[in-house]
Amino acid sequence: MNSREKINKLKEEIAKGVIGQEEMVNSILIGLLTSGHILLEGVPGLAKTTTVKAVALAIDLNFKRIQFTPDLLPSDIIGAQIFDMKTSEFKIKKGPIFTNLLLADEINRAPAKVQSALLEVMQERQVTIADDTFKIEAPFLVLATQNPIEQEGAYSLPEAQLDRFMFKIVVSYNTKEQEYEIAKRVTMNSFEQINKAIDKNDLEELKKEVKDIHIDKELEDYIIDIIDASRNPKNYGLDDLVDIIHFGASPRATIDMFKAVKANAYLRGNDYVSPIDIAMLAKDILRHRIILSYEAMAKEINVDDVIQKILEKIAIP
């Protein structure tokens, strides 16, 4: 199979286990192609775990899930040094972080130390247990889920930790037609078996091809302008956002945008990036990185609306 056939086959296999939720599936594939982690926000029951499992099966990757709770410890994630009574020696017991796809469920219910331990591994892609350091095998992708902040017992992640995620995807409900199909298949147990479409070696080849996707200098400048407008709105004639934005997007947003738009163009079957790719991903990349002021909260201004204003103001090349 050529690369296009592999991508199509991969999407077909994932679709056997997941009805709808195209944006979530697409973001996971972009994350795998660019080594970017993903934060999924939505109420329970929206097929987040099912989607990750389907991707793991279709690419023959290891998958583990951690349910985050207030009493979780860092060692529950990364592992610990334990004493073996039989041999009278200390041994390393590796935690669930040693996998390819890790679903960190309800990350915003865990203590700060646990969140920090996970996010450190996300950044460094290695784990230190006692005196030993272990590399995390590639590919390694964390998909963290969080309930909407207003739900009881949930706490917002610190801005510095949020910045480690390439995307923040707001997972919405399926359409009525999709929900009917889901209910029908579940009650009849008629979901098809998901088969391996590609393997790790194929994924590495696809990642190399993504890096070769062309992006014009004008589009790179366009991305820079979008990010800069979130920091200096007055310079772009966005005076109404000066008191609305408290902090703009970080340099990681620029890096992630450069990588993600290439992968999105690739998944769409193009060998070049277009303004459409930037428009498709801008909100997912920026919504967790732009911090609004108290005035914005008082006026009930949504961060997605702020991003939309920036996109409408910056001229498309």
Side-chain angles (χ1 to χ4, degrees):
M1 290 190 294
N2 61 34
S3 299
R4 180 47 40 198
E5 290 171 338
K6 288 178 182 177
I7 291 292
N8 290 338
K9 178 65 175 173
L10 178 58
K11 289 180 177 180
E12 286 173 12
E13 291 299 325
I14 294 170
K16 288 181 180 179
V18 182
I19 297 172
Q21 302 297 1
E22 288 87 359
E23 184 184 6
M24 179 164 51
V25 172
N26 196 62
S27 67
I28 293 173
L29 294 180
I30 291 174
L32 282 167
L33 291 170
T34 59
S35 301
H37 305 291
I38 298 163
L39 180 64
L40 303 170
E41 182 176 286
V43 297
L46 297 180
K48 295 184 288 289
T49 303
T50 301
T51 302
V52 182
K53 281 183 178 178
V55 172
L57 287 170
I59 311 179
D60 195 22
L61 298 176
N62 295 323
F63 163 73
K64 290 180 183 175
R65 174 183 174 273
I66 303 173
Q67 179 64 52
F68 278 59
T69 56
D71 59 350
L72 204 66
L73 299 172
S75 57
D76 295 329
I77 295 174
I78 65 175
Q81 188 181 52
I82 61 172
F83 185 73
D84 190 329
M85 298 291 288
K86 292 181 181 178
T87 61
S88 298
E89 293 178 347
F90 284 98
K91 293 185 176 179
I92 299 295
K93 182 183 179 183
K94 293 182 178 180
I97 198 77
F98 290 90
T99 187
N100 298 128
L101 291 180
L102 178 71
L103 181 65
D105 218 355
E106 295 186 301
I107 188 174
N108 57 332
R109 293 193 186 279
K113 283 186 178 180
V114 176
Q115 294 176 8
S116 297
L118 172 63
L119 292 158
E120 183 180 355
V121 179
M122 288 166 53
Q123 182 69 17
E124 305 297 333
R125 284 179 163 77
Q126 66 180 29
V127 176
T128 300
I129 304 173
D131 296 327
D132 299 313
T133 300
F134 304 91
K135 288 284 186 183
I136 302 292
E137 181 187 352
F140 175 61
L141 179 68
V142 172
L143 292 105
T145 73
Q146 67 173 13
N147 289 331
I149 301 305
E150 57 269 12
Q151 288 201 359
E152 185 179 354
Y155 306 93
S156 59
L157 292 173
E159 289 80 4
Q161 295 184 1
L162 282 170
D163 195 37
R164 303 293 173 114
F165 291 97
M166 172 178 274
F167 291 140
K168 178 183 176 182
I169 306 296
V170 178
V171 185
S172 56
Y173 289 106
N174 293 89
T175 64
K176 289 193 293 183
E177 293 77 17
Q178 290 169 346
E179 190 153 344
Y180 171 79
E181 185 63 27
I182 292 168
K184 190 176 175 183
R185 287 200 200 180
V186 170
T187 53
M188 298 295 291
N189 194 25
S190 60
F191 279 98
E192 295 181 66
Q193 180 179 343
I194 298 172
N195 300 310
K196 182 175 75 171
I198 63 173
D199 58 24
K200 293 179 184 179
N201 293 330
D202 292 323
L203 181 60
E204 287 303 312
E205 289 301 316
L206 296 178
K207 288 171 74 172
K208 290 177 184 176
E209 292 184 13
V210 167
K211 290 179 181 178
D212 293 332
I213 295 294
H214 177 72
I215 178 169
D216 288 334
K217 176 66 165 58
E218 290 81 1
L219 287 180
E220 292 176 333
D221 291 339
Y222 177 51
I223 290 172
I224 295 293
D225 284 343
I226 291 171
I227 304 299
D228 189 54
S230 74
R231 304 169 189 163
N232 304 293
K234 196 169 185 178
N235 294 348
Y236 297 85
L238 291 162
D239 294 25
D240 56 333
L241 297 183
V242 172
D243 296 326
I244 298 300
I245 299 175
H246 187 49
F247 287 111
S250 74
R252 279 200 187 98
T254 308
I255 296 167
D256 284 346
M257 186 88 81
F258 271 47
K259 293 192 295 185
V261 294
K262 284 188 173 187
N264 194 66
Y266 184 75
L267 291 174
R268 292 174 61 228
N270 298 327
D271 57 5
Y272 60 90
V273 175
S274 75
I276 294 172
D277 297 301
I278 298 171
M280 287 176 67
L281 302 183
K283 290 180 181 177
D284 295 337
I285 290 172
L286 296 177
R287 66 164 56 98
H288 56 300
R289 291 179 159 119
I290 295 176
I291 312 302
L292 301 185
S293 64
Y294 288 113
E295 183 177 335
M297 297 177 193
K299 293 180 178 179
E300 297 185 351
I301 295 174
N302 187 296
V303 68
D304 280 14
D305 295 334
V306 170
I307 298 168
Q308 186 62 38
K309 282 190 176 183
I310 292 173
L311 292 174
E312 290 172 358
K313 190 67 175 181
I314 307 296
I316 299 171

